[in-house]
Amino acid sequence: MISGFMYEKKNKIFSRLSTSVLSLMGLSLVTVAISVNLSQDVTHIVPLNLSDAVLPSLSTPKLATEKQINLPDYEYTVQLGDSLSQIFIKLGISYDDLLSVMETDLNHLRIDTLQPNNILQFWVDGSKKRLDKLELIFNVAQKVVYRRLHDDSYEFTDVNIIGEWIQNVTVGSIEGSFSVSALNAGLSYNDVHSITNLLKNKINFSRDLRVGDKFEVVHSEQFIAGQTSGQSEMQAIRIQRHGVLITAYLHTDGNYYDKYGDSLQRAFQRHPTIGKEHISSGFNAKRKHPVTGRISPHNGTDYAVQIGTPVISTGDGVIVMIRDHPYAGKYIVIDHGNQYRTRYLHNSKILVRKGQRVIRGQRIALSGRSGRVTGPHIHYELLIRGKAVNAMTAKIPMATSVPRTERSAFAKAVTMYDKMMFAKL
Ligand SMILES: [Zn+2]
């Protein structure tokens, strides 16, 4: 595989994500790189020597070395069925480095969310084959960086580009199933999943809709320099079911309500336990490590419980991940739709399967002390739009309607969204 395409891609990513190398873009644009296949999947990027003739501005030739222009030593695009340890083995990087990265990742668990087509970039100390830096690039707007520190631990940095959120309106009518009609109108699989999940108590999507029924959706999509990041959010939905209007509007608290301000989401419960259990350690985004003094966030709430205590799903959702992690132990991730996820760590036994639907209050695991812990406990996390928040204080759907004081603002937003959708009909 020759580098033209890959290089162009890399430049794009760099130019959008990493301001630290922006000043070097001039260099990488004239850098000619070839790639050599190390194996089927791993590509080693070998820049050619740059001559002074090509780079008249470079007075010191050593500036043009690979390290100084900060290009990764290896770049790898994740394929279905990959494991990180296999990739490390292919690159000859030690398993200790992987464990050390995973130790840092315990508080974030981002490595476990890698999907096919995500990109990994490795900076490796050539002689010792030590991993100096690892970047996981999820899309043009999101990446995380693990950088080696002097004590051989890794520092974690989350890089997010806000970019531009652009609204658009999609309208369509039912011809065949809702999902086929929605996809034909330009909505994505994720949108269809979110709509059917959100309105499942209002409509039976496989039975209630007829040919000619209409749907309208206001969508906000993230763009980085004109390129979509793949992240989007639905802001308003209207479905005309033979004369009956079904609505959903996203309020500023992140929850969906119908046009009367009544909640469409089933409430969450606050704690992942049946009874009231002792909280041994609370959420703390700025927790300092007692030994190193470095910021080492505690992104969840710990409940000190005996091994074998039932762990409860705090909301309705789908099991999207079950993992055994060297530090997080046996853990479960539940997707509740509409940007909510929860995680349950250190279990002794998992009682659910990946893909299974669960309801609020359902037993999903038995607690334990798997992974690295000082004692048995449940570590519970709530993530909103991928970011860990304090589950004890977060504004989760617990209320049944828009609070009185926010009613008029909500009504104004409904009118605005309705106008946008009406204009498209
Ligand atoms: Zn914890």
Side-chain angles (χ1 to χ4, degrees):
M1 186 220 292
I2 266 289
S3 55
F5 171 71
M6 219 176 68
Y7 236 71
E8 192 184 300
K9 202 162 137 200
K10 188 189 306 299
N11 282 339
K12 269 186 197 155
I13 289 162
F14 271 140
S15 62
R16 276 159 204 159
L17 287 179
S18 174
T19 47
S20 64
V21 295
L22 263 186
S23 56
L24 300 159
M25 286 312 297
L27 273 187
S28 31
L29 284 174
V30 291
T31 304
V32 184
I34 56 164
S35 57
V36 179
N37 280 344
L38 274 187
S39 70
Q40 211 178 347
D41 296 318
V42 180
T43 306
H44 189 188
I45 296 156
V46 187
L48 294 177
N49 287 330
L50 299 163
S51 74
D52 290 344
V54 182
L55 284 171
S57 60
L58 287 175
S59 49
T60 42
K62 68 183 172 76
L63 258 184
T65 65
E66 186 177 336
K67 280 283 182 271
Q68 266 151 352
I69 59 173
N70 204 17
L71 288 172
D73 297 295
Y74 303 98
E75 176 174 289
Y76 183 81
T77 302
V78 177
Q79 317 282 312
L80 198 65
D82 272 346
S83 85
L84 204 58
S85 51
Q86 281 170 346
I87 297 169
F88 270 62
I89 289 167
K90 276 184 188 170
L91 296 177
I93 304 170
S94 93
Y95 188 63
D96 286 347
D97 285 356
L98 175 57
L99 277 181
S100 193
V101 167
M102 289 183 90
E103 186 172 1
T104 297
D105 199 46
L106 164 64
N107 292 307
H108 314 283
L109 298 171
R110 299 300 289 273
I111 284 176
D112 287 1
T113 65
L114 279 173
Q115 297 283 324
N117 294 323
N118 290 166
I119 294 168
L120 299 170
Q121 293 186 336
F122 298 83
W123 283 257
V124 178
D125 180 318
S127 54
K128 297 182 193 126
K129 278 285 184 185
R130 294 200 328 181
L131 180 66
D132 288 333
K133 190 168 87 163
L134 172 64
E135 291 196 3
L136 314 183
I137 301 169
F138 300 104
N139 56 55
V140 289
Q142 288 185 308
K143 72 170 179 176
V144 293
V145 182
Y146 305 85
R147 192 179 280 108
R148 180 191 286 275
L149 300 169
H150 292 301
D151 63 359
D152 288 349
S153 68
Y154 287 84
E155 171 193 65
F156 174 90
T157 317
D158 198 345
V159 182
N160 285 290
I161 311 276
I162 294 165
E164 207 183 349
W165 286 80
I166 296 175
Q167 280 180 323
N168 60 60
V169 182
T170 305
V171 301
S173 56
I174 300 296
E175 283 160 49
S177 72
F178 172 70
S179 55
V180 167
S181 313
L183 293 172
N184 284 343
L187 296 175
S188 69
Y189 280 103
N190 275 342
D191 296 335
V192 172
H193 175 76
S194 299
I195 294 171
T196 50
N197 192 42
L198 186 64
L199 296 173
K200 65 178 183 287
N201 297 326
K202 301 269 175 183
I203 299 185
N204 181 333
F205 279 88
S206 55
R207 277 207 308 246
D208 291 351
L209 292 170
R210 289 186 205 153
V211 172
D213 284 348
K214 293 195 162 41
F215 54 90
E216 302 144 36
V217 175
V218 180
H219 223 189
S220 186
E221 203 177 346
Q222 188 186 34
F223 286 85
I224 312 292
Q227 193 183 341
T228 173
S229 71
Q231 300 193 93
S232 71
E233 186 166 75
M234 263 178 302
Q235 297 180 314
I237 304 157
R238 283 161 53 103
I239 298 178
Q240 307 261 7
R241 191 187 68 143
H242 27 284
V244 180
L245 184 63
I246 294 136
T247 55
Y249 299 90
L250 181 64
H251 186 40
T252 49
D253 64 1
N255 301 317
Y256 289 90
Y257 299 86
D258 66 16
K259 66 174 175 173
Y260 305 108
D262 291 325
S263 179
L264 291 162
Q265 287 152 282
R266 236 188 109 190
F268 275 76
Q269 62 183 62
R270 202 53 96 174
H271 307 284
T273 50
I274 295 170
K276 203 165 162 47
E277 301 289 354
H278 172 64
I279 292 176
S280 48
S281 176
F283 179 90
N284 185 355
K286 299 210 156 55
R287 181 177 66 173
K288 277 207 175 131
H289 193 279
V291 180
T292 62
R294 254 184 255 122
I295 299 286
S296 165
H298 186 234
N299 281 334
T301 305
D302 290 349
Y303 298 81
V305 290
Q306 284 186 331
I307 292 175
T309 302
V311 179
I312 301 302
S313 173
T314 51
D316 295 357
V318 178
I319 308 290
V320 287
M321 213 184 269
I322 294 174
R323 284 279 208 282
D324 200 347
H325 185 282
Y327 300 102
K330 292 192 172 100
Y331 78 88
I332 296 175
V333 183
I334 301 180
D335 186 350
H336 302 281
N338 315 312
Q339 317 280 1
Y340 289 93
R341 282 188 172 209
T342 52
R343 292 201 285 229
Y344 311 78
L345 276 57
H346 307 305
N347 300 296
S348 60
K349 190 164 196 256
I350 306 285
L351 304 176
V352 286
R353 288 169 285 105
K354 190 179 168 188
Q356 187 179 335
R357 282 198 162 272
V358 292
I359 58 166
R360 183 186 62 184
Q362 186 171 338
R363 289 174 187 222
I364 52 171
L366 298 177
S367 73
R369 52 176 310 155
S370 60
R372 191 184 62 182
V373 292
T374 50
H377 71 277
I378 302 167
H379 169 107
Y380 169 60
E381 287 180 18
L382 171 66
L383 295 102
I384 302 180
R385 294 179 182 82
K387 208 170 161 42
V389 298
N390 187 347
M392 300 301 107
T393 56
K395 273 195 176 182
I396 49 179
M398 300 204 51
T400 52
S401 58
V402 173
R404 203 173 292 267
T405 52
E406 296 166 20
R407 287 272 163 149
S408 70
F410 177 75
K412 265 187 202 148
V414 167
T415 308
M416 179 197 73
Y417 288 131
D418 283 355
K419 270 189 191 151
M420 287 176 71
M421 292 185 281
F422 186 72
K424 266 278 190 145
L425 286 176

